[in-house]
Amino acid sequence: MNYEEYKYLILSDLYRITADVRPSVLIRHVLRCGTYQYNFWLRTWRFTKSNPWLRYPFHALANLMLHRLTYKFGIAIPPETDIGPGFYIGHFGGIVVNSRAVIGKNCNISHGVTLGQANRGKNKGFPVIGDNVYIGPGAKIIGAVKIGNNAAAGANCVVTKDVPDHAVVAGVPGRIISQAGSEGYVNNTGYEEILRAKVS
C-alpha cells in the first residue's frame, strides 16, 4: 500500500462519518471518535507494515494502538483483512471479523456483528461482502456466503446463504423479505471525486 492509497482509505472512512475531510476534522476524530480511531489505526497498521521505512517505530506504534483499541472498544478486526474504502463502524462492541473475510466499499457494520468462518459443510469458508452493504446490530454472517451489492442484513439476522443484490434479509435463518436494499442506511458515499483531487 502506498501513501496515496492510505490517504484515500483514511479520508473515505472519515467522509462516511462526517461528510467532511478537512485536516481539523480528521485530527478531532482520530483523537476523540472511538469507531474512527479504530479505523484509522487499522489502516495505519497495514500502511506501515507494507513500507519498510515506516516499520520501525511507526508500525510498532500502530500495532500497540490497535491492540489497545481492540480491548477498549470490543472490536476484533484483523488488520490484514481485505476492506474497501468508506468502511463505517456504527457503534463499537462485540464486532468480530475473520481475517479472510472480504469487505467491499462503503460497508456499514453495527455492534454485535460477526463475519465468521465455517469449518465444514457446503458453506465451508469465509464471507464476501459486496459494496454498499448494511449489516445490522447483532447480525451473523457465517461461512462462504456472498452478500450482494446494496444489500442489507437486519438486526440479529443469521445469514448462511448467498444474498442477491438489493435484497433485505431478516430472521434466523435469514430470509429475503424485500428488495429495498440498503438505501437510506448507507450514506455519505460521494467522496470519490473529492478525494481523487486531494490524493493526486
Side-chain angles (χ1 to χ4, degrees), residues 19-96:
D20 195 340
V21 292
R22 289 175 297 167
S24 60
V25 177
L26 174 63
I27 292 169
R28 184 167 67 249
H29 277 72
V30 169
L31 295 176
R32 299 180 60 184
C33 177
T35 56
Y36 184 74
Q37 283 179 327
Y38 193 91
N39 275 17
F40 176 82
W41 289 108
L42 189 76
R43 305 294 197 182
T44 301
W45 188 99
R46 194 157 185 172
F47 172 57
T48 55
K49 175 77 171 180
S50 64
N51 191 321
W53 296 102
L54 298 175
R55 193 164 294 176
Y56 303 102
F58 296 108
H59 181 66
L61 173 62
N63 193 58
L64 176 65
M65 291 299 298
L66 193 58
H67 185 75
R68 176 178 175 271
L69 294 174
T70 292
Y71 288 96
K72 181 177 180 180
F73 296 129
I75 304 172
I77 304 175
E80 56 274 6
T81 307
D82 187 357
I83 302 173
F87 187 49
Y88 179 91
I89 300 174
H91 300 278
F92 54 78
I95 297 172
V96 179

Side-chain angles (χ1 to χ4, degrees), residues 49-180:
K49 175 77 171 180
S50 64
N51 191 321
W53 296 102
L54 298 175
R55 193 164 294 176
Y56 303 102
F58 296 108
H59 181 66
L61 173 62
N63 193 58
L64 176 65
M65 291 299 298
L66 193 58
H67 185 75
R68 176 178 175 271
L69 294 174
T70 292
Y71 288 96
K72 181 177 180 180
F73 296 129
I75 304 172
I77 304 175
E80 56 274 6
T81 307
D82 187 357
I83 302 173
F87 187 49
Y88 179 91
I89 300 174
H91 300 278
F92 54 78
I95 297 172
V96 179
V97 174
N98 188 280
S99 64
R100 295 179 65 182
V102 177
I103 300 174
K105 68 179 181 180
N106 304 327
C107 180
N108 283 31
I109 285 188
S110 308
H111 57 283
V113 164
T114 298
L115 304 182
Q117 174 182 354
N119 291 325
R120 64 184 187 185
K122 64 180 182 179
N123 283 341
K124 181 179 180 181
F126 316 90
V128 175
I129 311 300
D131 297 338
N132 306 308
V133 171
Y134 171 80
I135 306 174
K140 317 297 180 190
I141 302 174
I142 308 298
V145 175
K146 294 182 179 179
I147 308 297
N149 298 331
N150 306 297
N156 297 314
C157 179
V158 177
V159 184
T160 58
K161 296 181 180 179
D162 291 353
V163 177
D165 294 354
H166 303 284
V168 177
V169 291
V172 181
R175 293 181 174 87
I176 298 173
I177 61 170
S178 83
Q179 294 295 325

